[in-house]
PDB file of all heavy atoms in Angstrom:
ATOM      1  N   LEU A   8     158.073  55.431 112.288  1.00  0.00           N
ATOM      2  CA  LEU A   8     158.036  56.502 113.266  1.00  0.00           C
ATOM      3  C   LEU A   8     159.327  57.306 113.203  1.00  0.00           C
ATOM      4  O   LEU A   8     160.419  56.742 113.153  1.00  0.00           O
ATOM      5  CB  LEU A   8     157.863  55.890 114.659  1.00  0.00           C
ATOM      6  CG  LEU A   8     157.448  56.827 115.766  1.00  0.00           C
ATOM      7  CD1 LEU A   8     156.056  57.384 115.493  1.00  0.00           C
ATOM      8  CD2 LEU A   8     157.459  56.109 117.089  1.00  0.00           C
ATOM      9  N   GLY A  18     155.749  72.584 101.501  1.00  0.00           N
ATOM     10  CA  GLY A  18     155.603  73.702 102.427  1.00  0.00           C
ATOM     11  C   GLY A  18     154.357  74.513 102.128  1.00  0.00           C
ATOM     12  O   GLY A  18     153.690  74.321 101.108  1.00  0.00           O
ATOM     13  N   SER A  23     155.948  77.587 108.741  1.00  0.00           N
ATOM     14  CA  SER A  23     157.271  77.111 109.119  1.00  0.00           C
ATOM     15  C   SER A  23     157.848  76.218 108.027  1.00  0.00           C
ATOM     16  O   SER A  23     157.136  75.446 107.396  1.00  0.00           O
ATOM     17  CB  SER A  23     157.175  76.316 110.423  1.00  0.00           C
ATOM     18  OG  SER A  23     158.398  75.665 110.687  1.00  0.00           O
ATOM     19  N   LYS A  45     159.558  68.181 116.745  1.00  0.00           N
ATOM     20  CA  LYS A  45     160.416  67.021 117.027  1.00  0.00           C
ATOM     21  C   LYS A  45     160.257  66.544 118.474  1.00  0.00           C
ATOM     22  O   LYS A  45     160.594  65.414 118.797  1.00  0.00           O
ATOM     23  CB  LYS A  45     161.875  67.371 116.735  1.00  0.00           C
ATOM     24  CG  LYS A  45     162.768  66.167 116.665  1.00  0.00           C
ATOM     25  CD  LYS A  45     164.147  66.503 116.153  1.00  0.00           C
ATOM     26  CE  LYS A  45     164.974  65.238 116.037  1.00  0.00           C
ATOM     27  NZ  LYS A  45     166.290  65.485 115.500  1.00  0.00           N
ATOM     28  N   LEU A  50     156.396  61.039 119.634  1.00  0.00           N
ATOM     29  CA  LEU A  50     157.722  60.651 119.151  1.00  0.00           C
ATOM     30  C   LEU A  50     158.658  60.193 120.274  1.00  0.00           C
ATOM     31  O   LEU A  50     159.803  59.848 120.027  1.00  0.00           O
ATOM     32  CB  LEU A  50     158.371  61.816 118.398  1.00  0.00           C
ATOM     33  CG  LEU A  50     157.785  62.109 117.030  1.00  0.00           C
ATOM     34  CD1 LEU A  50     158.313  63.436 116.495  1.00  0.00           C
ATOM     35  CD2 LEU A  50     158.110  60.987 116.066  1.00  0.00           C
ATOM     36  N   HIS A  61     166.298  37.168 121.962  1.00  0.00           N
ATOM     37  CA  HIS A  61     167.339  36.169 121.671  1.00  0.00           C
ATOM     38  C   HIS A  61     168.561  36.518 122.507  1.00  0.00           C
ATOM     39  O   HIS A  61     169.051  37.652 122.451  1.00  0.00           O
ATOM     40  CB  HIS A  61     167.689  36.188 120.186  1.00  0.00           C
ATOM     41  CG  HIS A  61     168.777  35.248 119.818  1.00  0.00           C
ATOM     42  ND1 HIS A  61     168.594  33.896 119.749  1.00  0.00           N
ATOM     43  CD2 HIS A  61     170.080  35.474 119.529  1.00  0.00           C
ATOM     44  CE1 HIS A  61     169.740  33.317 119.421  1.00  0.00           C
ATOM     45  NE2 HIS A  61     170.654  34.258 119.284  1.00  0.00           N
ATOM     46  N   LYS A  76     170.473  49.855 123.135  1.00  0.00           N
ATOM     47  CA  LYS A  76     170.507  50.677 121.927  1.00  0.00           C
ATOM     48  C   LYS A  76     169.328  50.267 121.060  1.00  0.00           C
ATOM     49  O   LYS A  76     169.010  49.087 120.946  1.00  0.00           O
ATOM     50  CB  LYS A  76     171.794  50.454 121.125  1.00  0.00           C
ATOM     51  CG  LYS A  76     173.026  51.006 121.774  1.00  0.00           C
ATOM     52  CD  LYS A  76     174.233  50.831 120.878  1.00  0.00           C
ATOM     53  CE  LYS A  76     175.458  51.353 121.592  1.00  0.00           C
ATOM     54  NZ  LYS A  76     176.633  51.379 120.759  1.00  0.00           N
ATOM     55  N   LEU A 115     170.614  44.793 124.232  1.00  0.00           N
ATOM     56  CA  LEU A 115     170.965  45.050 125.625  1.00  0.00           C
ATOM     57  C   LEU A 115     172.431  44.728 125.904  1.00  0.00           C
ATOM     58  O   LEU A 115     172.975  43.747 125.372  1.00  0.00           O
ATOM     59  CB  LEU A 115     170.090  44.205 126.548  1.00  0.00           C
ATOM     60  CG  LEU A 115     168.610  44.551 126.529  1.00  0.00           C
ATOM     61  CD1 LEU A 115     167.819  43.514 127.300  1.00  0.00           C
ATOM     62  CD2 LEU A 115     168.387  45.929 127.119  1.00  0.00           C
ATOM     63  N   GLY A 125     166.066  41.834 120.829  1.00  0.00           N
ATOM     64  CA  GLY A 125     165.010  41.334 119.976  1.00  0.00           C
ATOM     65  C   GLY A 125     164.319  42.439 119.208  1.00  0.00           C
ATOM     66  O   GLY A 125     164.572  43.630 119.428  1.00  0.00           O
TER      67      GLY A 125
END
Side-chain angles (χ1 to χ4, degrees):
L8 195 64
S23 170
K45 194 170 183 178
L50 287 169
H61 177 74
K76 290 184 182 187
L115 294 171

